[in-house]
Amino acid sequence: MTDYIATSAGQRATFLCGKSWTAYVSTFLIAVLLFFAALPLAFKYNTRAAFIVLVGSALIVGYRLLTIRSYQLYYDEEGVWLASGILPWKKKLTGVKWRDMDEAVYETNFWSWLFQSYTVRVSQRYTQETEIHATGMARGKDAVAAINARHQELLHGSAIVV
């Protein structure tokens, strides 16, 4: 977990995790329905309809794949952040500053344990609300451990005033 990314503020951030392969399953099923069911039906109607279905299906599947790939959980000197979105009006950055963070936890069940795809939650200290809620994160268990370890380092190094 020593991958570094550049944030919009020009700071160096430590990349923790992105979406797991399990997040792509629903998009794969949609692609199978569109390309192997809707497209042959459109070809039976006429080729123009088939072309429209082909282009529309490619756009839908491509957008979903890029959106899933855009999820990045990382931390920097300021706090923990979850970035997502590819279109300018859909880009989103949510986060918790180190001084406001309570804890980071991951949720597990049989399927998340089996596929190593966890739900990550980072909560705020004062309101007990979950500020970051990310489902289907690869290496989510390791990311939570890294976040909590870094938070403890900052607390014991008195970089955070309690």
Side-chain angles (χ1 to χ4, degrees):
M1 280 203 244
T2 58
D3 297 335
Y4 295 103
I5 57 175
T7 63
S8 60
Q11 297 176 349
R12 227 170 73 155
T14 303
F15 175 77
L16 296 170
C17 62
K19 289 285 190 175
S20 172
W21 67 270
T22 57
Y24 293 91
V25 171
S26 63
T27 301
F28 175 74
L29 293 175
I30 289 172
V32 166
L33 286 174
L34 290 173
F35 290 112
F36 296 109
L39 190 57
L41 286 174
F43 263 117
K44 287 184 180 181
Y45 184 68
N46 70 23
T47 55
R48 181 175 286 155
F51 179 73
I52 291 170
V53 168
L54 177 66
V55 170
S57 299
L59 289 173
I60 289 169
V61 171
Y63 176 74
R64 287 180 59 103
L65 289 174
L66 291 173
T67 300
I68 293 169
R69 188 161 165 76
S70 72
Y71 280 81
Q72 294 183 341
L73 182 66
Y74 64 92
Y75 70 79
D76 59 11
E77 291 81 29
E78 296 291 320
V80 181
W81 311 98
L82 178 66
S84 63
I86 56 170
L87 298 173
W89 56 89
K90 292 291 246 180
K91 286 190 178 186
K92 185 176 173 183
L93 181 66
T94 57
V96 179
K97 292 189 177 188
W98 291 118
R99 67 171 189 256
D100 299 334
M101 188 178 130
D102 182 28
E103 66 180 349
V105 296
Y106 65 92
E107 295 177 4
T108 186
N109 58 34
F110 175 72
W111 297 110
S112 66
W113 169 80
L114 183 65
F115 297 127
Q116 300 294 304
S117 172
Y118 299 96
T119 297
V120 175
R121 294 181 188 269
V122 180
S123 59
Q124 192 178 49
R125 173 168 51 165
Y126 301 111
T127 62
Q128 296 301 315
E129 290 181 10
T130 301
E131 292 293 325
I132 296 176
H133 176 256
T135 60
M137 301 302 282
R139 299 182 319 190
K141 186 177 183 180
D142 299 331
V144 166
I147 291 168
N148 286 330
R150 179 70 177 143
H151 191 233
Q152 288 302 311
E153 284 176 20
L154 293 171
L155 284 174
H156 290 106
S158 54
I160 300 175
V161 179
V162 182

